[in-house]
Amino acid sequence: MSWEDGAAFPVVFGTSHVALWHRARLRAGETLVVHGAAGGVGLTAVAIGKLLQARVIATANGQAKLQVARENGADHLIDTSVDDVRLRIKELTGGHGADVVYDPVGGDLFTASLRSMAFEGRILVIGFAGGGVPQIPANHLLVKNVDVIGVNWPAYADMRPQLMSESFRRLMQWMVDGAIKPHVSATYPLARAVEALNQVLSRKSTGKVVIVMN
């Protein structure tokens, strides 16, 4: 692969694969909701969810970002800038709710997810890009037997290196087969690194922004 693809590949695909395959044990036919679906980890979760034969509902802020999620395989789209996320998940699942939620955003989206889970649903806590670390009311977990599952992907390098190796073998085979590919929305030379970081911080990017060394 190119240097750009190599830079954009391991962390985001590694995180999403371990989260969905190992932590959530996503099964074929289940409904997966991916928040921040046009972002670095979000897009990879959409793509891997489809490869694991799930039905994928993508959420993002605005139609432009949602279109990127659709191009990566999302079955249904929710615009967080205008839609009631909880109600739309219920509508799109015929009242069943989400079997798995992949949440790198946190804040209000986590709360909406918790209120739209299926029985024995699983919420993956990936990060808090929205700025708010949610507080979880334990009674909500009890009513529907919901699991809230943390995903600290780098920890597997020390704690379970064999699992990380198994995950990368699968990911690299998918890459060779053309089933997955990093989405690099922009590249910048090192001299413009501040501009690159500002693009990410302003949430104008999709997928990954890569700094290249010429």
Side-chain angles (χ1 to χ4, degrees):
M1 64 179 74
S2 68
W3 291 112
E4 291 82 3
D5 283 353
F9 186 85
V11 175
V12 288
F13 276 109
T15 297
S16 292
H17 186 247
V18 167
L20 296 173
W21 158 70
H22 174 65
R23 295 293 281 148
R25 293 176 171 82
L26 180 66
R27 298 184 291 269
E30 288 192 312
T31 296
L32 166 66
V33 173
V34 178
H35 294 314
V41 290
L43 274 178
T44 62
V46 170
I48 291 172
K50 292 305 297 179
L51 285 168
L52 296 176
Q53 302 179 53
R55 176 192 185 205
V56 178
I57 299 172
T59 82
N61 187 351
Q63 289 301 312
K65 290 188 174 182
L66 286 172
Q67 182 57 34
V68 176
R70 183 183 293 281
E71 290 168 0
N72 280 263
D75 299 295
H76 303 283
L77 309 175
I78 297 176
D79 187 341
T80 57
S81 66
V82 296
D83 293 332
D84 184 313
V85 173
R86 181 180 69 87
L87 289 179
R88 286 294 291 145
I89 292 173
K90 288 289 190 178
E91 289 171 359
L92 290 169
T93 60
H96 174 79
D99 297 300
V100 176
V101 172
Y102 182 98
D103 184 15
V105 180
D108 292 340
L109 277 179
F110 181 93
T111 302
S113 300
L114 193 59
R115 298 176 63 199
S116 57
M117 298 302 297
F119 184 75
E120 292 191 335
R122 292 88 76 199
I123 302 181
L124 293 160
V125 179
I126 308 298
F128 312 105
V133 177
Q135 303 300 304
I136 303 169
N139 60 312
H140 285 225
L141 308 182
L142 182 149
V143 172
K144 290 187 177 180
N145 288 6
V146 171
D147 295 335
V148 178
I149 303 170
V151 181
N152 176 13
W153 178 74
Y156 285 97
D158 291 325
M159 304 301 295
R160 296 282 300 279
Q162 70 281 7
L163 186 139
M164 184 175 274
S165 295
E166 183 180 352
S167 173
F168 268 115
R169 280 193 294 271
R170 169 57 62 188
L171 289 169
M172 293 309 298
Q173 188 60 57
W174 280 338
M175 181 76 182
V176 169
D177 292 342
I180 57 174
K181 180 174 173 42
H183 177 88
V184 179
S185 61
T187 60
Y188 290 84
L190 183 59
R192 297 172 61 195
V194 172
E195 187 179 343
L197 291 170
N198 284 334
Q199 184 177 6
V200 174
L201 291 172
S202 65
R203 300 184 185 179
K204 295 177 181 177
S205 60
T206 58
K208 299 293 285 182
V209 173
V210 175
I211 296 171
V212 297
M213 312 290 282
N214 295 322

